[in-house]
Amino acid sequence: MSEKFVLKSDYKPSGDQPEAIAGLIQGVQDGERFQTLLGATGTGKTFTIANVIQAVQKPTLIIAHNKTLAAQLCNEFRRFFPENAVEYFVSYYDYYQPEAYIARSDTYIEKEAQINQEIDRLRHAATQSVLTRKDVIIVATVSCIYGLGSPKEYENTVMHLKVGEDFDREKVLQRLVDMQFTRTQTDLTRGTFRMRGTLMEVMPVNEEFIYRIDATRGFIEHIDRQDPITKAFQSNLKDMWLFPAKHFITASKEREAALVKIREELKERLEYFEKNGKLLEAERLERKTKYDLELLETLGYCNGVENYSQPLSGRAPGEPPDTLFEYFPDDFLLVIDESHVTVPQLGGMYEGDRSRKQSLIEHGFRLPSAADNRPLQFHELEKKMRKTIFVSATPGKYEKENSSRIAEQIIRPTGLVDPEVVLLPVTPGDYEAGDLPIELPFAIPSPYEGQVHDLLNNRIPEVIARGERILVTTLTKKMSEDLTTFMTERGLKVRYLHSGIETVERLEILSEFRKGTYDIIVGVNLLREGLDLPEVSLVAIMDADKEGFLRSETSLIQTIGRAARNVRGRVLLYADNMTGSLDRAIKETERRRAKQVAYNIKHKITPKTIIKAIDDLREILGLSASEKDIKAILKLELTADSHELGDIIKQKEKEMKEAAKNLEFELAAILRDEIGQLDNELRKRNRESALPDKEKKQVEKKGRHGRTR
């Protein structure tokens, strides 16, 4: 096992990479707190960061704003550091319905979660690596600022079994239970064990192997490792380390003290409710908390144990929770990728969580201390950001104002330059050269038929003829759907892509797009996927002169960059007016393009389109939930009557909007999928209620027998 980062690559730093790498290394070594890598799309920012990591030799945490981008980064860093630990740490829920209370309809929604076991394994592998190795890189999403459990307790609970040592069967059994392992007599799965006389078999939560410990004569004689699928054995292991099966672990002594605190808090809260005439809330809280206390006392664990993390960890009220950050040593490197998106997300997560928790506390479903099971507030996160590198093609205000160094990386190793930007009118009319804001590299037809017809008739055909792809961005979901229908009717291979498409399907569409099943993708915000699409040579931005988030300087530069991986990259900006954002985006693109062209001329470089393998990231993402899975999560809500179902849908819509407002996009997407299922059920019931009695009987028969009779 290597203790040093060793970068493996056939590439050498080129262009302005050496300067950027040297500057960032110097900044880390000088103890600079914040630095920014301003890297244009396709300039090899990941390779630059990999070189910095190898030079400074510090454990590194990389934060991305979604699972897709995190998976891509993790794969890239694993290629660069095959001998080192590169781990993946994201939310382990395929679906997650948070505990909530809707006061208006008096509806309590119990926490429902579907945990992805593979991602759970990867999370444990990540925390174990960072506790046991120096050469570790963890690629995480913004969920890493949520409470995780005390690293001290997690580390102290580790069990070391060694050949030749005494084996006290009862003590080992108790230790495994304390570590939250589950005893079974059937097949072993992660986090379970079984005893057969003096033979113990256990499957660690972070591995895919079964360990067999033979202690026939009162001491450990053999430790063997078995593949559960092939049944192949690796024998004569000297020892093994067994980490806890869960991150929330509390030692017996500390747990007893915590239980006392919980009971005291419960007593105080019940007195408060009774004093204020809230007897229902008091009864609710007493019943629920006492049930949890019994489980904690006997098993050391209960459903929703994280809501008691404040007393269990011994933290003072209001004190920030332990997160993934606490598992790292003090001197670690933090990299925030796509910082113009990630930083606002990190800053907005606390408020969304707080409003939901407050409702539960006020109505007697949780103790006040449950509010401390939360993500970090941004000022708390800032204290943990000791050596930080922000990475973005368009750094935000926070990064610009706080960075002591901005390393600019504009030159692409491939020689590719920023795409040619062309401004065209939105509205039809007769135009002459002098009527247009910029000089065009081609003539436009007269009369000009407007942005849609120009795109379809004059721009798309030549791109498709070359076997390349097109991205089209619109302002609304309806416009993207209508434009897709319009194109489909004209025989084009096109799909739309927006927030209404669930995650798994989005990845499938993008994969098929790269393969050529579709030539065109129409979307609202095509930046969110975080994927490279080198086959795209044309990007069309409709209604580019409508100032706002989707047409801001940052969004425009990011969208323009989508065409920067193809040697024939071109961007069409359809606009009748020159806005401030348009002007700045065009000027910045021209500045970068001029620098890149000059470098290519000086060094006699011929640009080449990036050739990149078409990877399927779905497996590492763990995004395989189906319609059946969603219905399983919603089983309680689906039993409600039509009126109640309508109220639940309205509440979930409110929560979804709130989540999106607070930049909790993963939660918003989950709620969106749930709303879709509930809405389908409500429409089905409404249709059935409107049927004549004869047809209703046919529907009932079909439901019972699978067909009408």
Side-chain angles (χ1 to χ4, degrees):
M1 183 186 298
S2 175
E3 282 294 320
K4 289 188 174 291
F5 288 105
V6 181
L7 175 60
K8 303 283 186 178
S9 177
D10 295 332
Y11 303 106
K12 301 293 181 185
S14 60
D16 47 10
Q17 281 181 330
E19 185 179 350
I21 292 168
L24 293 170
I25 291 170
Q26 189 64 50
V28 174
Q29 292 173 342
D30 291 347
E32 293 180 21
R33 189 180 176 198
F34 295 135
Q35 301 182 86
T36 293
L37 172 60
L38 193 163
T41 302
T43 58
K45 297 188 290 290
T46 305
F47 184 54
T48 295
I49 295 298
N51 276 274
V52 173
I53 292 171
Q54 178 180 240
V56 301
Q57 292 290 323
K58 295 183 185 297
T60 302
L61 172 61
I62 301 169
I63 303 178
H65 62 87
N66 62 42
K67 288 182 178 179
T68 309
L69 182 56
Q72 180 184 327
L73 287 169
C74 187
N75 283 342
E76 289 179 0
F77 278 106
R78 281 175 179 173
R79 292 190 189 107
F80 287 138
F81 297 104
E83 298 176 1
N84 307 110
V86 180
E87 309 290 359
Y88 184 62
F89 188 96
V90 302
S91 170
Y92 54 26
Y93 297 116
D94 277 337
Y95 284 95
Y96 179 67
Q97 178 179 275
E99 184 183 29
Y101 177 68
I102 308 167
R104 181 169 52 84
S105 60
D106 189 27
T107 304
Y108 171 68
I109 302 172
E110 193 169 357
K111 174 183 170 182
E112 290 273 353
Q114 185 172 341
I115 293 175
N116 186 302
Q117 295 299 325
E118 178 60 17
I119 292 182
D120 187 37
R121 182 186 73 81
L122 294 171
R123 284 167 63 93
H124 279 276
T127 51
Q128 291 171 29
S129 289
V130 77
L131 289 173
T132 57
R133 303 179 63 156
K134 296 178 181 178
D135 59 328
V136 61
I137 299 169
I138 295 181
V139 184
T141 56
V142 293
S143 62
C144 69
I145 70 168
Y146 275 89
L148 187 60
S150 168
K152 182 181 177 182
E153 292 297 336
Y154 185 80
E155 195 170 12
N156 288 343
T157 314
V158 172
M159 182 162 59
H160 186 205
L161 298 174
K162 192 175 180 181
V163 171
E165 286 187 343
D166 290 340
F167 185 87
D168 188 320
R169 186 176 182 273
E170 294 305 315
K171 284 185 179 179
V172 171
L173 285 174
Q174 185 58 55
R175 188 78 184 280
L176 286 169
V177 172
D178 290 341
M179 294 169 72
Q180 303 304 320
F181 279 83
T182 303
R183 189 169 184 174
T184 182
Q185 297 301 324
T186 58
D187 291 340
L188 288 170
T189 56
R190 296 187 190 101
T192 63
F193 73 97
R194 63 189 175 204
M195 295 291 295
R196 296 175 177 175
T198 56
L199 180 66
M200 182 178 83
E201 295 174 298
V202 60
M203 193 171 187
V205 74
N206 64 308
E207 294 187 49
E208 296 177 308
F209 296 98
I210 294 169
Y211 286 84
R212 303 180 67 180
I213 295 93
D214 188 353
T216 306
R217 292 183 289 177
F219 64 91
I220 299 174
E221 296 181 59
H222 299 284
I223 299 177
D224 304 323
R225 188 170 72 175
Q226 182 184 31
D227 188 306
I229 299 173
T230 66
K231 306 301 180 182
F233 273 96
Q234 181 185 350
S235 301
N236 300 320
L237 300 179
K238 293 180 179 179
D239 65 347
M240 68 168 294
W241 292 89
L242 196 61
F243 283 79
K246 299 185 185 298
H247 283 107
F248 283 98
I249 295 289
T250 308
S252 299
K253 188 177 179 181
E254 283 78 9
R255 187 163 64 244
E256 288 173 10
L259 293 174
V260 172
K261 289 182 180 178
I262 294 169
R263 289 190 178 97
E264 289 174 354
E265 185 182 9
L266 174 62
K267 183 182 177 183
E268 290 175 6
R269 193 63 176 169
L270 292 176
E271 289 174 354
Y272 166 80
F273 280 141
E274 290 166 3
K275 185 179 178 181
N276 289 274
K278 296 184 176 183
L279 301 182
L280 176 62
E281 287 84 350
E283 191 275 332
R284 257 180 209 152
L285 186 64
E286 185 175 24
R287 185 178 68 252
K288 188 173 186 62
T289 308
K290 283 186 174 179
Y291 177 72
D292 288 345
L293 283 167
E294 286 180 17
L295 291 175
L296 284 168
E297 198 164 20
T298 55
L299 302 175
Y301 200 81
C302 70
N303 188 30
V305 65
E306 62 274 9
N307 288 293
Y308 303 101
S309 59
Q310 184 253 310
L312 285 170
S313 64
R315 289 185 282 122
E319 192 176 340
D322 290 316
T323 64
L324 181 60
F325 283 80
E326 274 63 52
Y327 285 72
F328 279 86
D330 290 339
D331 191 29
F332 76 101
L333 179 65
L334 175 63
V335 178
I336 299 181
D337 197 60
E338 300 293 348
S339 59
H340 62 285
V341 178
T342 308
V343 169
Q345 279 197 22
L346 291 166
M349 291 169 68
Y350 171 78
E351 289 299 330
D353 181 84
R354 183 173 176 271
S355 62
R356 180 177 59 82
K357 290 276 177 54
Q358 211 54 45
S359 177
L360 290 166
I361 292 166
E362 286 174 6
H363 293 92
F365 291 96
R366 287 293 173 192
L367 292 169
S369 60
D372 284 333
N373 168 39
R374 58 175 177 82
L376 295 172
Q377 299 183 58
F378 193 73
H379 71 86
E380 294 168 339
L381 175 61
E382 280 186 304
K383 293 177 181 177
K384 304 177 188 295
M385 298 162 61
R386 297 180 179 90
K387 292 183 176 68
T388 305
I389 299 175
F390 303 103
V391 181
S392 175
T394 53
K397 183 180 178 183
Y398 180 85
E399 302 94 288
K400 289 178 179 177
E401 290 181 352
N402 289 280
S403 292
S404 56
R405 181 190 307 263
I406 296 180
E408 190 173 82
Q409 188 170 296
I410 302 298
I411 307 301
R412 297 181 177 87
T414 56
L416 286 169
V417 301
D418 271 34
E420 179 183 38
V421 176
V422 176
L423 208 61
L424 287 163
V426 172
T427 55
D430 292 312
Y431 294 92
E432 297 180 4
D435 299 329
L436 301 174
I438 61 175
E439 186 178 342
L440 294 180
F442 49 76
I444 64 171
S446 185
Y448 180 74
E449 294 183 288
Q451 61 180 354
V452 173
H453 286 284
D454 178 74
L455 179 63
L456 266 65
N457 299 331
N458 305 320
R459 315 301 164 200
I460 286 177
E462 62 177 304
V463 178
I464 293 176
R466 295 197 302 263
E468 296 164 354
R469 313 283 186 269
I470 302 103
L471 293 178
V472 183
T473 70
T474 65
L475 284 172
T476 65
K477 289 195 289 186
K478 188 176 185 307
M479 186 177 176
S480 69
E481 292 172 6
D482 291 346
L483 185 56
T484 299
T485 302
F486 188 76
M487 289 180 173
T488 302
E489 289 171 351
R490 281 150 184 77
L492 295 170
K493 297 186 295 182
V494 57
R495 285 292 302 267
Y496 65 78
L497 195 69
H498 55 56
S499 59
I501 307 294
E502 62 181 51
T503 306
V504 176
E505 192 177 354
R506 286 202 301 270
L507 294 175
E508 289 172 348
I509 291 171
L510 286 167
S511 180
E512 294 301 312
F513 177 61
R514 291 199 61 197
K515 292 173 183 177
T517 306
Y518 312 111
D519 295 317
I520 308 163
I521 282 186
V522 183
V524 179
N525 183 6
L526 294 171
L527 308 175
R528 58 179 292 184
E529 307 305 330
L531 295 175
D532 299 329
L533 304 169
E535 296 81 10
V536 172
S537 67
L538 179 66
V539 174
I541 303 177
M542 316 299 279
D543 301 298
D545 55 355
K546 301 296 188 289
E547 280 276 21
F549 170 72
L550 292 173
R551 299 295 182 264
S552 66
E553 177 188 353
T554 296
S555 292
L556 287 168
I557 292 173
Q558 289 282 341
T559 307
I560 288 168
R562 289 291 190 187
R565 296 182 179 271
N566 193 290
V567 71
R568 283 184 289 269
R570 173 180 284 179
V571 178
L572 305 178
L573 299 170
Y574 289 100
D576 288 332
N577 303 294
M578 180 64 80
T579 65
S581 293
L582 263 176
D583 184 52
R584 291 189 296 273
I586 291 170
K587 285 178 178 175
E588 175 61 13
T589 302
E590 288 177 344
R591 181 187 75 83
R592 296 181 185 186
R593 184 176 169 87
K595 185 176 179 180
Q596 293 155 356
V597 169
Y599 182 88
N600 287 350
I601 292 171
K602 182 179 178 181
H603 295 86
K604 298 179 180 178
I605 295 173
T606 302
K608 296 179 181 178
T609 297
I610 292 172
I611 299 174
K612 190 168 185 176
I614 302 173
D615 296 324
D616 188 349
L617 299 174
R618 284 171 290 176
E619 287 187 11
I620 191 170
L621 291 173
L623 297 170
S624 56
S626 63
E627 182 178 320
K628 183 180 177 182
D629 297 322
I630 303 173
K631 287 182 176 178
I633 298 296
L634 295 173
K635 59 186 178 185
L636 292 177
E637 284 87 341
L638 290 168
T639 61
D641 61 37
S642 296
H643 176 72
E644 290 174 340
L645 206 58
D647 287 340
I648 292 170
I649 290 171
K650 288 178 182 177
Q651 180 61 31
K652 284 187 178 287
E653 286 174 341
K654 184 180 176 182
E655 290 174 7
M656 179 183 69
K657 291 175 182 177
E658 188 69 22
K661 181 182 175 183
N662 294 317
L663 306 176
E664 295 178 284
F665 299 120
E666 288 184 9
L667 175 58
I670 291 166
L671 289 166
R672 179 204 64 223
D673 293 342
E674 292 177 358
I675 291 166
Q677 288 295 330
L678 294 170
D679 201 42
N680 288 340
E681 177 65 22
L682 186 59
R683 285 202 298 268
K684 178 185 172 185
R685 293 180 188 182
N686 290 338
R687 284 197 302 270
E688 291 177 0
S689 65
L691 292 173
D693 290 341
K694 186 178 179 181
E695 291 186 36
K696 283 183 182 177
K697 290 179 181 179
Q698 289 181 327
V699 170
E700 288 171 3
K701 287 181 180 180
K702 187 176 180 181
R704 289 195 298 269
H705 306 294
R707 57 184 174 85
T708 56
R709 289 186 171 182

